[in-house]
Amino acid sequence: MLAALKKNPAAKWLGLALVVIALAVLPFAVEAGAGRSWVRIIDFALLYIMLALGLNIVVGFAGLLDLGYIAFYAVGAYMWALLASPHLSANFPAFAAMFPGGLHFPIWILIPMGALVAAIFGVLLGAPTLRLRGDYLAIVTLGFGEIIRIFLNNLNAPVNITNGPQGINKIDPFSIFGIPFNKPLSVFGFTVPSVALYYYLFLALTIVIIVITLRLEDSRIGRAWVAIREDEIAAKAMGINTRNVKLLAFAMGATFGGVAGGLFAGFQGFVSPESFTLMESIMVLAMVVLGGMGHIPGVVLGAVLLATLPEAIRYTVVPAQKMLFDRQIVDPESLRMLLFGLALILVMLYRPAGIWPSPVRKREFATAEKAGKLEPEQYPDRTEASEGARL
Amino acid sequence: MSRLALLEARDVAKRFGGLQALADISLTISHGEIYGLIGPNGAGKTTFFNCLTGLYQVDEGRFLFDGAPLNVKAPYEVAARGIARTFQNIRLFANMTALENVMVGRHVRTRAGVFGAVLRTPGTLAEERAIHDRARELLRYVGLERRSDTLARNLPYGDQRRLEIARALATEPKLLALDEPAAGMNATETASLKALMERIRADGVTILLIEHDVKLVMNLCDRVAVLDYGRKIAEGPPAEVQKNAAVIEAYLGGSLA
């Protein structure tokens, strides 16, 4: 069917138009059907897609198991919080003298800054781990992730940079072209609620990130990442500078995490260290692994599923229990972890490559069938067949 | 053999703890020849390869390649200088297709970075097309064009060997170092491999060959060096080396007396 679509450009454009329309009306449909809180959940799902795609570059493409990925999300979030809130001016006279009302950078500066700062952190945290592989790398990155969180938790003294466990609040809401995102927007008498505005912004950035990832995957750099994952020694022998290419993977992955973190800070209006625990790193990793490591549509699917299903459980389990037993017996939070664990086990048993793995294997089966039809006699003599090809 | 030297090893030595894996190996490989490196198991052939290709650092001695010292700190620099290798235990990128494996080989001769890839600049697109076309050409060259979409790990053994050669050729080497390419091949496969190597040489690439198949080495190589316990015990045209007493002793064992 997909092949048919590719051959028929009209059908392709029609399909694309349908997808665009579906994505455009999604927040309104969801709000009408399930309530505004679900639009908010979809906003978070989009942030998780960005995170999962970033981690997918490190884990899925380059094969570097990173258990501290959420650190870059934290770096992006805190950078945004510091540059778009009264916090620094409230705590440092120097800042107060220059910016009496606090720092309020526009989104056009904050997003690239978040990407850049996170990329620098990606390189800084990646550099010491270059010689490590597998389990050892996982342990060290896990440690780095926790170090960042603990720093954020404790950098309120002697100088108050992060405001410690209380976190930073009063972060500016987004505004683009003077349109504030924290109020509903009226367009020609049609009201777009605040969560839907965020939805469109996050969707746009998610699409940008998906396009970047797709293009990187199908490039010289993307192939070098996969080569390192497959066999680092052979990759070196092919002339790949594995040090730089790995650092590039860390930096690119961190970039997406930093952007998502900044958006998170602006969306919430508040950041604190408890949003960046090890559990979050594991959650994002589970999205990548469950969805289909290294396969972009699979990773997106994994992120959507793992970001929305727990909420669905929360919204169905409590009423269901009330109806059945007249009271709540199991806390949805503990049920969530139980079901999550069960889902992981089932996926690993029945779909070890993920729910939606890369189609390379399907392609592979197709060619194997074609090759199988060739009788050995028909198989052309290689030396003859290769006449004409020159070095 | 008064042709220009392509590779010169001078007193190369490598120790692993107390084991002298290579001791004062000196040899010269000329442009355009097929040079065989033979010896019993454990003689140091692969160690020599690993020193040459930068996987190991030599303890003593040095290599001169193409008229300049081969001062490598990392293996990837070796490929840039024009030395490509295959591995004794095949090291393909197993979950990439045959075509992608060869495309990775073009890495060192191409430039595109992240921004080019993301923005799809005309230069990047042209380079990408060139990588693709060259990879297809090389697959045809080794006779694997029908297998281009097959995952490397699903290729038959002999084809995996050929794919490794194609991948190495993609780096545009001056010296192609093959570590036991005919291991585990039947007579037909070996014959066609021999034809391939002769063609590569005819196309101007010098070959350094480690091989156990004595018949293949004798028929193919212009000169061979024999290693035993890390030392070079003989060097010369195959016919001469075959008669060398030290070589016979190394391979068959000394007299019992």
Side-chain angles (χ1 to χ4, degrees):
Chain A
M1 206 188 100
L2 274 174
L5 274 183
K6 268 180 199 139
K7 273 179 201 145
N8 187 342
K12 194 171 137 191
W13 285 111
L14 186 68
L16 192 66
L18 284 177
V19 170
V20 168
I21 293 169
L23 287 174
V25 301
L26 184 69
F28 298 98
V30 166
E31 185 169 346
R36 188 161 290 180
S37 61
W38 269 94
V39 184
R40 208 180 143 74
I41 290 166
I42 291 176
D43 289 352
F44 271 105
L46 288 170
L47 290 180
Y48 276 116
I49 292 176
M50 297 182 208
L51 282 175
L53 286 172
L55 184 61
N56 181 54
I57 288 185
V58 183
V59 179
F61 293 167
L64 305 162
L65 183 51
D66 185 348
L67 286 185
Y69 181 69
I70 212 70
F72 306 121
Y73 190 51
V75 165
Y78 267 84
M79 198 225 57
W80 189 294
L82 290 175
L83 295 185
S85 78
H87 176 78
L88 284 178
S89 289
N91 287 284
F92 296 94
F95 274 104
M98 277 185 289
F99 308 97
L103 295 170
H104 301 285
F105 282 99
I107 182 170
W108 311 115
I109 294 183
L110 288 172
I111 290 180
M113 276 279 281
L116 183 71
V117 171
I120 292 169
F121 268 83
V123 171
L124 285 179
L125 296 191
T129 67
L130 286 174
R131 287 167 176 274
L132 304 175
R133 298 186 61 79
D135 327 1
Y136 303 98
L137 178 65
I139 297 288
V140 173
T141 51
L142 187 155
F144 280 149
E146 285 296 277
I147 287 170
I148 296 276
R149 186 181 63 80
I150 291 165
F151 259 111
L152 296 174
N153 217 0
N154 292 286
L155 272 182
N156 54 346
V159 282
N160 188 356
I161 297 172
T162 65
N163 209 22
Q166 286 103 334
I168 297 173
N169 57 15
K170 291 195 217 144
I171 300 169
D172 301 343
F174 290 93
S175 87
I176 297 180
F177 303 127
I179 301 165
F181 273 45
N182 57 342
K183 295 188 193 76
L185 175 70
S186 288
V187 195
F188 309 120
F190 183 72
T191 311
V192 185
S194 166
V195 274
L197 288 176
Y198 280 110
Y199 167 83
Y200 292 123
L201 174 67
F202 291 2
L203 182 66
L205 284 164
T206 305
I207 289 171
V208 169
I209 284 181
I210 289 176
V211 169
I212 291 177
T213 326
L214 282 170
R215 290 186 165 188
L216 279 178
E217 183 188 28
D218 184 24
S219 75
R220 173 173 173 265
I221 300 294
R223 283 190 299 273
W225 283 334
V226 176
I228 289 176
R229 179 189 77 198
E230 292 294 314
D231 191 325
E232 197 170 336
I233 289 179
K236 281 181 188 167
M238 289 302 109
I240 295 174
N241 182 336
T242 53
R243 182 195 61 204
N244 290 1
V245 171
K246 276 181 175 183
L247 284 179
L248 195 58
F250 277 118
M252 280 311 297
T255 300
F256 298 168
V259 169
L263 298 177
F264 169 75
F267 181 44
Q268 294 266 74
F270 167 72
V271 290
S272 79
E274 65 188 273
S275 302
F276 311 107
T277 56
L278 174 62
M279 197 55 217
E280 287 291 311
S281 280
I282 291 175
M283 207 59 191
V284 179
L285 183 63
M287 289 168 179
V288 174
V289 175
L290 281 186
M293 239 195 298
H295 185 226
I296 293 160
V299 172
V300 172
L301 178 71
V304 171
L305 285 180
L306 286 191
T308 55
L309 283 185
E311 303 299 329
I313 291 169
R314 194 203 311 268
Y315 282 101
T316 51
V317 162
V318 178
Q321 290 186 38
K322 290 242 167 76
M323 209 175 75
L324 287 173
F325 314 108
D326 267 347
R327 65 196 166 92
Q328 185 186 328
I329 299 168
V330 191
D331 173 34
E333 199 62 18
S334 47
L335 196 66
R336 187 175 83 124
M337 291 321 283
L338 185 73
L339 291 176
F340 179 52
L342 196 65
L344 265 180
I345 293 170
L346 288 177
V347 168
M348 288 302 109
L349 277 178
Y350 294 106
R351 296 194 71 92
I355 298 170
W356 191 356
S358 145
V360 171
R361 276 185 211 166
K362 281 179 203 153
R363 195 169 72 197
E364 155 73 5
F365 278 126
T367 39
E369 244 170 66
K370 261 186 270 164
K373 282 179 198 143
L374 283 173
E375 294 302 316
E377 296 82 18
Q378 282 177 276
Y379 209 82
D381 177 53
R382 276 120 170 194
T383 12
E384 270 175 32
S386 50
E387 280 310 321
R390 304 289 300 171
L391 263 187
Chain B
M1 287 290 161
S2 58
R3 275 177 293 181
L4 232 65
L6 176 66
L7 177 79
E8 205 181 329
R10 284 192 192 156
D11 304 320
V12 169
K14 177 75 190 168
R15 277 179 301 275
F16 296 111
L19 178 77
Q20 187 79 37
L22 291 177
D24 303 331
I25 303 288
S26 295
L27 48 84
T28 306
I29 301 176
S30 310
H31 272 286
E33 72 176 339
I34 298 182
Y35 191 98
L37 196 57
I38 63 172
N41 283 320
K45 306 182 296 289
T46 298
T47 304
F48 182 81
F49 257 46
N50 287 343
C51 288
L52 173 65
T53 53
L55 284 182
Y56 299 156
Q57 297 292 322
V58 294
D59 293 325
E60 284 162 43
R62 61 197 184 115
F63 291 103
L64 294 171
F65 182 71
D66 209 14
L70 193 67
N71 288 328
V72 293
K73 283 163 206 79
Y76 67 82
E77 295 169 0
V78 177
R81 280 293 298 278
I83 300 178
R85 69 171 292 178
T86 66
F87 294 87
Q88 186 176 359
N89 44 344
I90 301 169
R91 279 179 171 269
L92 285 166
F93 306 122
N95 289 305
M96 296 173 98
T97 63
L99 185 69
E100 285 166 343
N101 267 274
V102 184
M103 286 170 84
V104 170
R106 295 297 300 155
H107 184 93
V108 71
R109 300 293 169 214
T110 46
R111 292 273 68 87
V114 168
F115 290 102
V118 170
L119 301 175
R120 294 247 159 116
T121 55
T124 310
L125 288 178
E127 184 182 280
E128 195 66 12
R129 249 192 325 274
I131 292 173
H132 190 271
D133 294 348
R134 183 68 184 139
R136 283 213 171 277
E137 231 171 270
L138 284 166
L139 281 180
R140 198 161 58 242
Y141 187 83
V142 299
L144 286 178
E145 69 272 28
R146 285 159 176 275
R147 298 286 193 170
S148 61
D149 289 339
T150 309
L151 290 189
R153 67 191 163 95
N154 293 342
L155 284 173
Y157 179 82
D159 288 354
Q160 293 193 358
R161 289 272 179 214
R162 286 168 172 277
L163 180 56
E164 247 200 330
I165 293 173
R167 187 181 66 177
L169 287 174
T171 68
E172 293 173 20
K174 294 186 180 107
L175 178 70
L176 179 64
L178 303 172
D179 197 347
E180 293 197 31
M185 284 189 169
N186 64 30
T188 328
E189 286 170 325
T190 306
S192 99
L193 180 75
K194 177 169 173 277
L196 176 63
M197 283 191 276
E198 278 166 345
R199 211 145 58 82
I200 292 170
R201 186 250 303 263
D203 286 332
V205 179
T206 309
I207 295 179
L208 170 59
L209 174 72
I210 291 182
E211 189 47 68
H212 270 303
D213 186 331
V214 175
K215 203 176 124 211
L216 177 66
V217 171
M218 296 304 158
N219 286 332
L220 185 65
C221 294
D222 302 306
R223 286 189 306 146
V224 294
V226 187
L227 297 190
D228 191 29
Y229 292 110
R231 288 174 192 285
K232 187 174 86 175
I233 56 171
E235 186 182 16
E240 274 176 32
V241 165
Q242 224 168 355
K243 292 180 198 123
N244 185 306
V247 175
I248 293 167
E249 187 176 311
Y251 267 92
L252 301 176
S255 62
L256 287 170

